[in-house]
Amino acid sequence: MTTLTQTTCCYCGVGCGMLVESDGERIVGVRGDPSHPANHGRLCSKGMTLPLTASSLAGRVLTPALRATRDAARAPTSWDDALATVASRFADVIRRHGPHAVAFYVSGQLLTEDYYVFNKLAKGLVRTNNIDTNSRLCMSSAVSAYKMAFGADGPPTCYDDLEAARTVLFAGSNMAYAHPVLFRRLEAAKAADPSIRWIVVDPRRTDTASMADLHLPIVPGTDVALFHGMLHHLIWEGRVDRAFVDTHTEGFEALKQVLRAYPPQLAADICGIEEATLRQAADWFGESPAALSLYCMGLNQSSHGTEKNLALIHLHLATGQIGRAGAGPFSLTGQPNAMGGREVGGLATMLAAHREIGNPAHRAELERLWGVQGLSETPGLPAVEMFDAVRDGRIKAIWIACTNPVHSMPDSARVREALAAAEFVVVQEAFHQTDTVPYADVLLPASTWGEKAGTVTNSERRISRVRAAVPAPGSARADWWIASEVARRLAPALGVSAEPFTFASTQEIFDEHRALTVGRDLDIGGLDYARLERQGPQQWPFPAGAERGAARRYEDGVFATADGRARFHAFDYRPVAEPINARYPLRLITGRLRDQWHGMSRTGRAGALFEHAPEPTLTMHPADAARRGLRAGDHVRLASRRGERVLVLAVSDDVSSGTVFVPMHWSAQFLGGGGVNDTTLGSVDNYSKQPELKHAAVRVDPLALPWRVAAVRRGDALQLHAAVQPLLAARRFATVRLEGDDRIVVVAADEQPDADWLEQLHTALALPRDASLLEYRDVRRAMTKRVAWRDTWIDGVLVAGTEADVTASTSLLARVGDSEPWPRARHAVFVADSGPAAPRDRTVCQCQAVSASRIDAAIVAGADVAQLKATLGCGTVCGSCVPELQRMCAARGRATSMSTNAA
Ligand SMILES: Nc1nc2c(c(=O)[nH]1)N[C@H]1C(S)=C(S)[C@@H](COP(=O)(O)OP(=O)(O)OC[C@H]3O[C@@H](n4cnc5c(=O)[nH]c(N)nc54)[C@H](O)[C@@H]3O)O[C@H]1N2
Ligand SMILES: Nc1nc2c(c(=O)[nH]1)N[C@H]1C(S)=C(S)[C@@H](COP(=O)(O)OP(=O)(O)OC[C@H]3O[C@@H](n4cnc5c(=O)[nH]c(N)nc54)[C@H](O)[C@@H]3O)O[C@H]1N2
Ligand code: SF4
Ligand SMILES: [Mo]
């Protein structure tokens, strides 16, 4: 019997409602919830494939484990022992060094209830504000800009504005990949009304940008100059809404003085775009009946991210494009509960329910509501400083939950050094295969999506229920429960009552959180589990007595500042933290892929999710590649002042000359050595302390790695992956991926052959060493081809030798796991293999498994997007690939159904 559970997707901030099918033990299917107002039944490629990532327990953290000494291996233990150990080690550090010697580093992927308990544990019980989260790397500049401009955090807009907007300005947002279901809504609106204009500000021609009417491929980091130039133009063209500015804002004159220095020509020069393009964008924005801006990490992840956000908000305030349908600055949250974390105050620089640490009245209020005393008046350390403090010994113990900082923080070498130096590291995780888990002195098994319950708040301030569809596996427990159980043991050790810090249910936690919001800007006094049950997901504010939450804020032009006026801020454009120079002449941008999620601990469990981007690539403009004598597929060495990484070159004019792009996802679990953050830097924004993950000065050099290895093995892919992963770091370049449900692919390259390593790989891949293995070996050339047989089926292939040897084995490698038996004598596999290699192919449409080559062939034969959908079926299920189909058609000069390109 299958049961259906109504819940919310665990990936991005769109917050799609889902119906999960389970057989009681396992999740067997998922579909979009037609009644959820965020997605109306739609899901993207990541949401649709969630069951694939949850189908096996291999690689799950199932029992608590701890190690006696730093060098010892972790051994499984009981919950009681693990919780007592965490409590006593934390108590010990606090006794010896005070409360600020411990820290918590948590996550925008925790549920509101989890987050609430962690925040209260740190700030109320330990009485340190040293609790920060990965939202520091993500949303903190948006938070500080909203507060500085409007007096309170949170977007004034809602999802219905996507349909109501007449001009849409995407700034530093690749929505086609990162918020796909909202992008579907925008696509539909534009298809219905082609007069809607899209402007995209992004240094890269992303799938989002390629669908725009106007693309502004600015030099990375120059957004402030762009927005200043646009506002300069609007002021001098007389397009400012004087009435709005005079009645509802403060500070315009001072800003106007600063803007004198940004005439469109000069601003366009700084941005590296045409002056006419800048003026066009400004006109479309200013003259629009409703201009909506959608922005994300291209603005936030900057050493002046708050100013980038503010400069964009200025455009809205100056033209009165705010507080009505279809108009306003809409910061898109990345993680599923980035907003909920902000509500409970789960950052080092804020208190619960949008209260301020530095405000004595706020602290007193919280002490009364919590029934505690002595809240710290010192702000805690934000992420980058927090790990620096761990590194230099100011922080001795750190508890990491639901985030993977070794992978996601800038300058990862420093983070690794920090965790190696710490006295005590707790990691609370659902999956073993992450870059942070190896540093855990105590590893706590967390239940995860599908197994836990609570609430999340999406980008439009909408609170949705998350429900469990299956029981948690092994001894995994909900995050709030773990924090609450440690609090129960820690409180007596700190000489206070445990009562305020221990909870019996998520409902009890939600009710307490709600009480804290009453009278605040995010008042949800009228909202509880019963109402969410009855009426479905609701937006805040939702005060007691209300029937529904407010879709939009500031509709009356009264802002959350003391005098009700929004604020302009006067500041100049500032360059990126690390300018390029002769030694590091290229600008590195990092960002998202369509089908992967962050460090891939979840998406890396499904072979289907690798097919769209199977290799760890660095994308470079053709002219830059030619200048370095590089061709697509070559190995390249990416280096910054901090570290280096070997990647595979992709060549495309989607990036401008002088800029290179590397996806953020590849971690040490899938790429030898780790991800791109070994090269990024920890420079942070003055206000928000958010690091500049979107820009580093780098160089890219050719790298000859003549020894090549490739292997494909059929079997339990997750187990094979776990066995192979420790070998990756030994090679100059080594990567592993899952393929389909039951295959893994390993590719490696190095300067010299390494016979020992090859045998280790052979063993890790569980290749046989008996008669079922057939080997063809040329010792002189250090070449080997090995085929593992199961009767007449090919179950594994391992090839090592030159690039030509491996290339010549492409079709042999592809035969692993073939549904057809090998038709000839075994040894004939090597002969038959000498034919030409099949071309490498990418899967563009993941739902219907349609490859790039088939789509391209159809386009060459005359198909447009509609015909591709009708004949190949691509783009007809989740729609995540539709932007790419449009783009592939456009590249072949085929008209698309919404070709309104004016650029
Ligand atoms: N598929 C997928 N979706 C996700 C996630 C994921 O991991 N995978 N993660 C989620 C999370 S947590 C987040 S925060 C969001 C992020 O969502 P986005 O911010 O949309 O994604 P990114 O690719 O990080 O960056 C967006 C764009 O910023 C551009 N950019 C770089 N530098 C600049 C600049 O100086 N100015 C401007 N204007 N643009 C610049 C990049 O070229 C990139 O295309 O995605 C969420 N959704
Ligand atoms: N270079 C570069 N770096 C970046 C970015 C970038 O654009 N470029 N983007 C930054 C941004 S915006 C973000 S948000 C961060 C994201 O970076 P991280 O927070 O490190 O990302 P995840 O890999 O999603 O980490 C979440 C972890 O929680 C685990 N987990 C899953 N479910 C649960 C659960 O229920 N409980 C617990 N306890 N654990 C669970 C997962 O297995 C995973 O290891 O990366 C940042 N880093
Ligand atoms: S857009 Fe995709 S990843 Fe984001 S919430 Fe919806 S289904 Fe999940
Ligand atoms: Mo994020």
Side-chain angles (χ1 to χ4, degrees):
M1 203 195 73
T2 59
T3 54
L4 265 193
T5 308
Q6 201 174 24
T7 187
T8 311
C9 179
C10 62
Y11 290 121
C12 82
V14 176
C16 295
M18 289 185 152
L19 300 171
V20 176
E21 270 176 74
S22 71
D23 62 8
E25 282 299 305
R26 279 178 341 113
I27 290 168
V28 294
V30 63
R31 55 179 191 267
D33 179 353
S35 73
H36 197 290
N39 57 318
H40 304 294
R42 296 185 192 89
L43 294 178
C44 77
S45 51
K46 291 183 301 300
M48 301 256 304
T49 47
L50 263 171
L52 292 179
T53 70
S55 62
S56 164
L57 291 186
R60 283 293 302 271
V61 183
L62 295 173
T63 49
L66 60 84
R67 55 179 162 217
T69 64
R70 250 306 145 89
D71 306 320
R74 272 189 309 268
T77 186
S78 66
W79 264 117
D80 230 18
D81 185 30
L83 295 165
T85 305
V86 174
S88 71
R89 293 292 301 267
F90 266 62
D92 175 53
V93 171
I94 295 165
R95 241 185 330 262
R96 282 187 290 129
H97 305 282
H100 307 312
V102 303
F104 301 80
Y105 186 62
V106 299
S107 166
Q109 293 171 67
L110 288 172
L111 308 184
T112 298
E113 291 76 0
D114 301 325
Y115 229 136
Y116 183 89
V117 178
F118 264 113
N119 191 52
K120 193 174 182 188
L121 165 62
K123 290 177 183 160
L125 175 57
V126 177
R127 278 163 293 180
T128 178
N129 292 316
N130 278 343
I131 171 164
D132 215 48
T133 105
N134 58 3
S135 282
R136 184 71 60 189
L137 316 177
C138 183
M139 298 315 303
S140 57
S141 289
V143 173
S144 43
Y146 272 147
K147 282 198 201 161
M148 287 168 73
F150 304 146
D153 180 25
T157 44
C158 64
Y159 290 169
D160 285 346
D161 291 326
L162 300 172
E163 281 93 13
R166 316 301 305 158
T167 295
V168 186
L169 173 66
F170 303 78
S173 151
N174 185 8
M175 270 182 97
Y177 280 13
H179 299 91
V181 165
L182 297 184
F183 198 68
R184 296 289 88 75
R185 289 178 63 165
L186 287 162
E187 277 169 350
K190 192 161 163 48
D193 179 356
S195 74
I196 293 174
R197 280 161 173 161
W198 286 9
I199 307 164
V200 173
V201 183
D202 194 310
R204 297 188 301 141
R205 186 170 58 230
T206 58
D207 274 6
T208 309
S210 63
M211 291 179 69
D213 300 289
L214 197 60
H215 174 209
L216 282 58
I218 59 168
V219 173
T222 60
D223 302 77
V224 168
L226 173 71
F227 302 142
H228 276 8
M230 286 168 68
L231 189 49
H232 177 113
H233 171 76
L234 291 171
I235 292 172
W236 270 265
E237 293 292 311
R239 286 195 193 276
V240 165
D241 184 341
R242 270 322 313 193
F244 186 88
V245 169
D246 291 345
T247 336
H248 300 299
T249 71
E250 218 32 272
F252 187 63
E253 288 312 315
L255 173 62
K256 215 172 140 181
Q257 289 308 314
V258 169
L259 293 181
R260 286 182 183 282
Y262 298 86
Q265 179 61 61
L266 186 96
D269 282 351
I270 295 172
C271 300
I273 59 171
E274 297 293 324
E275 180 191 350
T277 317
L278 182 150
R279 287 184 190 272
Q280 179 71 276
D283 287 339
W284 283 0
F285 187 96
E287 74 196 17
S288 178
L292 181 70
S293 56
L294 299 162
Y295 52 102
C296 209
M297 292 309 118
L299 298 200
N300 295 353
Q301 287 171 341
S302 156
S303 58
H304 53 274
T306 303
E307 288 167 354
K308 284 189 178 191
N309 274 256
L310 284 169
L312 178 58
I313 292 173
H314 289 163
L315 282 168
H316 286 275
L317 289 174
T319 53
Q321 295 280 13
I322 187 167
R324 56 197 159 74
F330 199 166
S331 149
L332 300 166
T333 50
Q335 299 180 92
N337 201 30
M339 192 72 74
R342 286 144 73 172
E343 291 157 18
V344 303
L347 282 150
T349 41
M350 53 173 74
L351 293 178
H354 293 179
R355 290 182 177 84
E356 305 287 341
I357 293 171
N359 182 329
H362 282 181
R363 287 201 310 277
E365 211 174 25
L366 201 57
E367 286 173 349
R368 184 175 54 76
L369 288 163
W370 273 353
V372 303
Q373 260 148 37
L375 290 190
S376 168
E377 54 184 73
T378 332
L381 297 180
V384 174
E385 278 179 68
M386 178 182 279
F387 281 88
D388 279 348
V390 175
R391 187 167 168 269
D392 63 29
R394 279 173 291 152
I395 292 175
K396 314 276 180 203
I398 183 164
W399 182 348
I400 297 164
C402 202
T403 174
N404 180 13
V406 171
H407 172 254
S408 52
M409 291 274 295
D411 198 356
S412 354
R414 284 177 82 87
V415 178
R416 288 192 292 264
E417 284 164 23
L419 294 182
E423 273 183 28
F424 186 58
V425 177
V426 182
V427 177
Q428 186 163 318
E429 247 295 340
F431 299 98
H432 271 289
Q433 230 58 65
T434 89
D435 295 5
T436 304
V437 163
Y439 293 89
D441 295 308
V442 177
L443 181 60
L444 302 174
S447 55
T448 182
W449 177 85
E451 307 155 1
K452 60 190 288 194
T455 55
V456 289
T457 311
N458 71 9
S459 285
E460 63 161 355
R461 294 172 275 109
R462 189 179 294 279
I463 300 173
S464 296
R465 281 301 313 268
V466 170
R467 296 184 180 85
V470 292
S475 341
R477 292 285 184 279
D479 289 287
W480 69 266
W481 182 90
I482 302 173
S484 170
E485 286 302 305
V486 170
R488 186 193 301 287
R489 290 158 175 83
L490 183 58
L494 300 181
V496 296
S497 158
E499 205 274 325
F501 309 104
T502 43
F503 297 88
S505 71
T506 55
Q507 179 156 357
E508 184 190 335
I509 304 167
F510 188 87
D511 288 344
E512 188 176 308
H513 162 55
R514 177 188 52 187
L516 261 52
T517 68
V518 173
R520 308 284 310 151
D521 70 299
L522 74 170
D523 193 330
I524 51 165
L527 205 57
D528 56 13
Y529 275 19
R531 192 186 284 266
L532 290 170
E533 211 64 54
R534 234 175 21 249
Q535 296 184 0
Q538 299 298 322
Q539 284 178 280
W540 62 254
F542 198 125
E547 261 315 296
R548 60 182 51 77
R552 296 184 186 86
R553 304 168 86 192
Y554 316 129
E555 282 174 304
D556 54 2
V558 178
F559 291 88
T561 51
D563 59 7
R565 284 166 175 265
R567 295 281 187 282
F568 288 99
H569 295 265
F571 49 82
D572 273 305
Y573 153 74
R574 286 184 295 132
V576 291
E578 187 175 67
I580 53 172
N581 61 20
R583 187 154 166 65
Y584 296 101
L586 295 167
R587 303 170 185 282
L588 170 70
I589 304 184
T590 62
R592 269 120 190 116
L593 295 172
R594 194 190 74 190
D595 292 347
Q596 293 293 357
W597 180 261
H598 300 166
M600 299 158 72
S601 65
R602 191 191 302 276
T603 48
R605 297 165 66 82
L609 294 177
F610 283 90
E611 287 166 12
H612 190 244
E615 287 180 315
T617 53
L618 173 142
T619 307
M620 181 182 265
H621 189 271
D624 295 344
R627 202 168 305 129
R628 290 170 174 77
L630 289 166
R631 285 175 318 152
D634 286 355
H635 292 117
V636 290
R637 179 177 161 275
L638 164 75
S640 74
R641 287 184 181 80
R642 293 153 296 279
E644 63 170 74
R645 184 64 58 237
V646 177
L647 296 156
V648 177
L649 187 75
V651 177
S652 164
D653 64 3
D654 291 344
V655 295
S656 309
S657 174
T659 300
V660 295
F661 175 77
V662 178
M664 67 163 294
H665 305 287
W666 296 89
S667 68
Q669 306 307 310
F670 299 93
L671 174 65
V676 73
N677 279 328
D678 274 12
T679 63
T680 56
L681 75 163
S683 292
V684 299
D685 179 90
N686 278 341
Y687 303 97
S688 71
K689 308 298 174 193
Q690 176 158 356
E692 184 151 87
L693 286 162
K694 284 282 182 275
H695 187 273
V698 296
R699 57 183 300 121
V700 175
D701 298 300
L703 184 69
L705 300 176
W707 187 57
R708 303 296 175 96
V709 179
V712 182
R713 177 67 163 137
R714 192 176 150 276
D716 184 323
L718 293 174
Q719 278 174 17
L720 288 167
H721 172 237
V724 165
Q725 186 274 330
L727 299 179
L728 301 178
R731 296 276 65 88
R732 268 315 245 142
F733 175 80
T735 170
V736 56
R737 68 172 184 272
L738 277 56
E739 206 175 63
D741 301 338
D742 61 349
R743 270 183 306 177
I744 102 162
V745 180
V746 182
V747 178
D750 216 324
E751 274 134 24
Q752 298 290 329
D754 182 340
D756 289 344
W757 186 84
L758 203 64
E759 295 316 314
Q760 288 169 26
L761 180 64
H762 185 115
T763 306
L765 287 169
L767 290 168
R769 296 196 187 266
D770 57 19
S772 64
L773 186 85
L774 186 69
E775 182 174 16
Y776 172 74
R777 187 194 287 248
D778 183 335
V779 180
R780 192 177 39 84
R781 291 176 44 222
M783 189 267 270
T784 175
K785 296 187 182 189
R786 303 174 187 180
V787 178
W789 295 90
R790 185 173 39 91
D791 300 326
T792 47
W793 280 272
I794 297 176
D795 249 13
V797 171
L798 172 68
V799 180
T802 61
E803 183 180 3
D805 293 328
V806 171
T807 308
S809 304
T810 308
S811 54
L812 176 59
L813 288 155
R815 277 203 187 94
V816 176
D818 238 1
S819 52
E820 297 296 309
W822 176 249
R824 275 167 279 169
R826 281 188 177 181
H827 63 259
V829 286
F830 299 123
V831 183
D833 191 42
S834 56
R840 266 205 298 216
D841 212 351
R842 244 164 17 89
T843 305
V844 173
C845 173
Q846 209 248 102
C847 303
Q848 303 281 67
V850 189
S851 66
S853 60
R854 279 174 68 202
I855 293 167
D856 210 44
I859 297 171
V860 169
D864 62 9
V865 173
Q867 286 157 338
L868 290 173
K869 287 183 177 178
T871 54
L872 300 176
C874 48
T876 55
V877 183
C878 81
S880 292
C881 66
V882 172
E884 190 168 348
L885 299 179
Q886 303 264 17
R887 202 171 171 187
M888 290 174 78
C889 286
R892 294 272 182 193
R894 221 31 102 236
T896 64
S897 49
M898 38 180 294
S899 59
T900 46
N901 278 32

